[in-house]
Amino acid sequence: LRVTRMATAMENRRHPRIHREESLSLTLLPSGSLSVSPDDRLYLTSHDVSLAGISVELPAPIKPNTDVELWVALLEEHGTYHLYGTIAWCAAPEGQLLAGIALDLERADGRLWAAHFDNDGFFND
């Protein structure tokens, strides 16, 4: 009998997640199009954040591998950050529809966003 241990999702994460409800607007970037109207924006709340990603509560599913542009307004006067990313997953654990966004920290305010996290990936308040 061979027993193998399955890694949990938490063990596979690159950076620690912290539960934070932040206001953000999310724009789906249509492939090949540079024009996005304000009507294409979704106004959402984050579920949790990490150095390299944000999970958001959604009103409807979004296909993985969709490129997104987002503005995140951090509470406690930490500012608003213009970020880009890609939908990594979309699921409804416990009945709540969520999507995980993998951030591209090399674009827009990605480096300013990263400055809020310490060397271990924990958020600095």
Side-chain angles (χ1 to χ4, degrees):
L1 176 68
R2 184 174 151 193
V3 177
T4 58
R5 188 171 156 266
M6 302 261 310
T8 66
M10 195 62 173
E11 291 169 333
N12 289 329
R13 295 189 190 277
R14 292 184 298 161
H15 302 285
R17 300 267 190 244
I18 58 164
H19 177 73
R20 282 186 72 101
E21 290 186 12
E22 305 290 354
S23 297
L24 60 99
S25 71
L26 176 76
T27 304
L28 305 180
L29 298 178
S31 57
S33 172
L34 296 177
S35 64
V36 176
S37 78
D39 295 338
D40 295 330
R41 289 190 184 154
L42 299 172
Y43 295 92
L44 307 171
T45 301
S46 66
H47 183 261
D48 61 40
V49 300
S50 78
L51 171 61
I54 299 174
S55 72
V56 295
E57 299 172 13
L58 292 175
I62 297 176
K63 227 166 54 170
N65 297 318
T66 300
D67 290 330
V68 295
E69 181 177 22
L70 54 153
W71 287 263
V72 181
L74 291 177
L75 301 175
E76 295 103 26
E77 298 183 30
H78 288 296
T80 299
Y81 298 87
H82 179 207
L83 302 168
Y84 288 89
T86 303
I87 301 295
W89 55 268
C90 186
E94 300 175 20
Q96 182 181 26
L97 186 60
L98 301 172
I101 302 168
L103 298 175
D104 180 350
L105 298 176
E106 298 300 316
R107 295 179 69 189
D109 292 334
R111 290 175 193 232
L112 294 172
W113 172 264
H116 283 289
F117 295 84
D118 67 18
N119 291 338
D120 294 323
F122 289 99
F123 191 83
N124 292 322
D125 275 328

